[in-house]
């Protein structure tokens, strides 16, 4: 994973000015929440997609899970071309 993470950073380095990035292992909701609490993080930026229907209820949403577990601010970014299912 470290090689893929480094490649991703290199491809997007113009967007990573004045940032710190971390690669952590584990179940995303728990691992990210623990990292935020243990390192006194003020803000997290993460990508998110909306899951609708049964899939959304079963799989859940990592951003929403983290939102309910941390005290820092979260900026959630939707992918290009995302259309809200509410507006359809």
């Amino acid at each position: 994973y470290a090689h893929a993470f480094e490649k991703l950073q290199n491809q997007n380095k113009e967007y990573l000015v004045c940032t710190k990035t971390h690669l952590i292992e584990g179940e995303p909701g728990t691992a990210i929440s623990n990292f935020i609490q243990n390192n006194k993080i003020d803000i997290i930026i993460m990508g998110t997609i909306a899951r609708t229907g049964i899939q959304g209820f079963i799989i859940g949403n990592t951003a929403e899970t983290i939102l309910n577990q941390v005290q820092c601010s979260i900026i959630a970014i939707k992918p290009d071309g995302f259309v809200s299912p509410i507006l359809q």
Side-chain angles (χ1 to χ4, degrees), residues 22-49:
H22 302 273
L23 177 61
I24 55 177
E25 293 184 39
E27 189 277 319
T30 303
I32 294 169
S33 297
N34 289 341
F35 184 86
I36 289 169
Q37 292 170 357
N38 293 337
N39 293 279
K40 300 180 182 176
I41 304 297
D42 295 322
I43 188 168
I44 182 172
I45 301 170
M46 61 186 309
T48 181
I49 58 174

Side-chain angles (χ1 to χ4, degrees), residues 1-62:
Y1 294 112
H3 178 69
F5 186 63
E6 183 178 325
K7 182 178 176 182
L8 180 65
Q9 287 179 300
N10 288 335
Q11 290 173 342
N12 296 284
K13 59 185 165 190
E14 68 271 17
Y15 303 110
L16 299 175
V17 177
C18 299
T19 62
K20 292 182 183 179
T21 56
H22 302 273
L23 177 61
I24 55 177
E25 293 184 39
E27 189 277 319
T30 303
I32 294 169
S33 297
N34 289 341
F35 184 86
I36 289 169
Q37 292 170 357
N38 293 337
N39 293 279
K40 300 180 182 176
I41 304 297
D42 295 322
I43 188 168
I44 182 172
I45 301 170
M46 61 186 309
T48 181
I49 58 174
R51 291 190 174 100
T52 58
I54 294 173
Q55 182 183 20
F57 290 111
I58 294 173
I59 296 175
N61 183 314
T62 301

